[in-house]
Amino acid sequence: MPHEKSGFTRTWRAVDTVFEVFCILCLIATVLIVLWQVFSRELLSSSPTWSEESARILLVWIGFLGAAIGFREGAHIAVTFLVDKFPAMLQAVIDRGIQVLLIGFGLFLVVQGTQFVIDARMATLPGTGLPRSVSYLMMPVAGAMVILYTVLQAFGVSTKRYVEAGDAAELD
């Protein structure tokens, strides 16, 4: 049985790693595209037509990908000053309710994002010639990752990859 769990853990961590690397690559690509755009405009007196649109698409992707990573790390906004005063049983119920809401949010992103991708697949973006659906593609991907992270957390699996100094002291 432990072997199966480690196989499952390796699988979801591999998916998570690909997801995170893709997010980092989007960020690097955005920086390089914007640098090229500025260089071309200022020194060559001609900006490429695709650069602004590509950077905008990548920024949207980074926003959705980063939000999903924020859910993974538990970095989303949580107002706990009131909930912390409740009995432990009620806190657990509220935590489960929040997880249900997060799964609902992830499902919303998957369903609406998929619909946006389908609706926009025939239109093209003027600067790049890419299908307009590329702008919406990250919604269902980020939604699926929010669902994955929330389900894992609901079953007690720690999805955090990065531990802050204060959190590390609590773990000891």
Side-chain angles (χ1 to χ4, degrees), residues 30 49 67-68 81 87 96 106 129 140 160-161:
T30 303
T49 58
F81 71 91
R96 289 294 180 201
K160 289 185 177 184
R161 284 214 160 171

Side-chain angles (χ1 to χ4, degrees), residues 2-131:
H3 184 65
E4 291 176 31
K5 184 177 180 183
S6 66
F8 172 76
T9 301
R10 278 195 305 268
T11 301
W12 87 259
R13 282 286 189 192
V15 169
D16 180 54
T17 299
V18 168
F19 183 72
E20 187 170 303
V21 167
F22 182 71
C23 187
I24 292 167
L25 291 175
C26 285
L27 183 60
I28 291 168
T30 303
V31 169
L32 293 175
I33 289 169
V34 170
L35 286 174
W36 177 251
Q37 181 182 20
V38 171
F39 173 81
S40 298
R41 183 180 60 235
E42 298 298 325
L43 297 177
L44 305 177
S45 299
S46 173
S47 288
T49 58
W50 55 268
S51 61
E52 183 180 341
E53 189 170 84
S54 299
R56 191 177 315 120
I57 290 167
L58 288 170
L59 281 173
V60 169
W61 285 13
I62 291 166
F64 278 100
L65 296 171
I69 290 172
F71 281 106
R72 176 191 76 193
E73 296 297 317
H76 52 81
I77 296 173
V79 181
T80 60
F81 71 91
L82 182 61
V83 175
D84 289 346
K85 295 179 184 194
F86 294 152
M89 181 68 86
L90 186 54
Q91 287 180 22
V93 169
I94 291 171
D95 284 345
R96 289 294 180 201
I98 290 170
Q99 289 171 340
V100 168
L101 290 173
L102 288 174
I103 290 171
F105 175 67
L107 284 170
F108 174 80
L109 287 177
V110 169
V111 171
Q112 284 301 126
T114 301
Q115 190 60 52
F116 287 160
V117 169
I118 291 167
D119 290 346
R121 71 184 184 282
M122 300 309 263
T124 57
L125 295 168
T128 59
L130 292 170

